[in-house]
Amino acid sequence: MEKALRVYGEVLRLVRRLPKDSRPYYAKYARENFVNYRDADAADPSALDELFHRAYNHSIWVLNKYSVEESAANRLKEICLG
């Protein structure tokens, strides 16, 4: 649970780097996704790793869409993949 909260917090920090008009959409999108997966089996590390990997990949996709430097997600990468 702690790792999931760290990932969520970092995703929200990345949302602040997006253009102002797109921030509410992506903040809501992130929250909805984390809420949808809150019942994921914490005893299954591979399932959680897959979710964290998807969170990182999707964040990179959004950053690229808005031409935000990928290095902004280095901290998220450490949390999700490290």
Side-chain angles (χ1 to χ4, degrees):
M1 180 67 149
E2 180 183 325
K3 185 175 179 179
L5 291 175
R6 289 177 50 215
V7 170
Y8 179 63
E10 193 58 34
V11 167
L12 292 181
R13 282 184 199 88
L14 291 174
V15 167
R16 287 188 235 147
R17 294 176 172 262
L18 300 177
K20 200 168 194 157
D21 61 330
S22 64
R23 291 177 194 168
Y25 171 80
Y26 284 104
K28 183 178 178 184
Y29 180 82
R31 184 181 192 295
E32 287 174 353
N33 274 283
F34 276 86
V35 167
N36 286 342
Y37 290 104
R38 70 177 165 210
D39 295 328
D41 186 7
D44 184 1
S46 64
L48 292 178
D49 287 343
E50 173 64 27
L51 289 173
F52 295 143
H53 192 79
R54 285 195 311 189
Y56 173 74
N57 286 338
H58 187 74
S59 296
I60 292 297
W61 183 87
V62 172
L63 292 176
N64 286 330
K65 178 180 177 182
Y66 289 99
S67 301
V68 176
E69 189 65 37
E70 273 189 39
S71 65
N74 283 346
R75 194 165 154 199
L76 179 63
K77 183 179 182 178
E78 288 176 20
I79 297 169
C80 289
L81 308 178

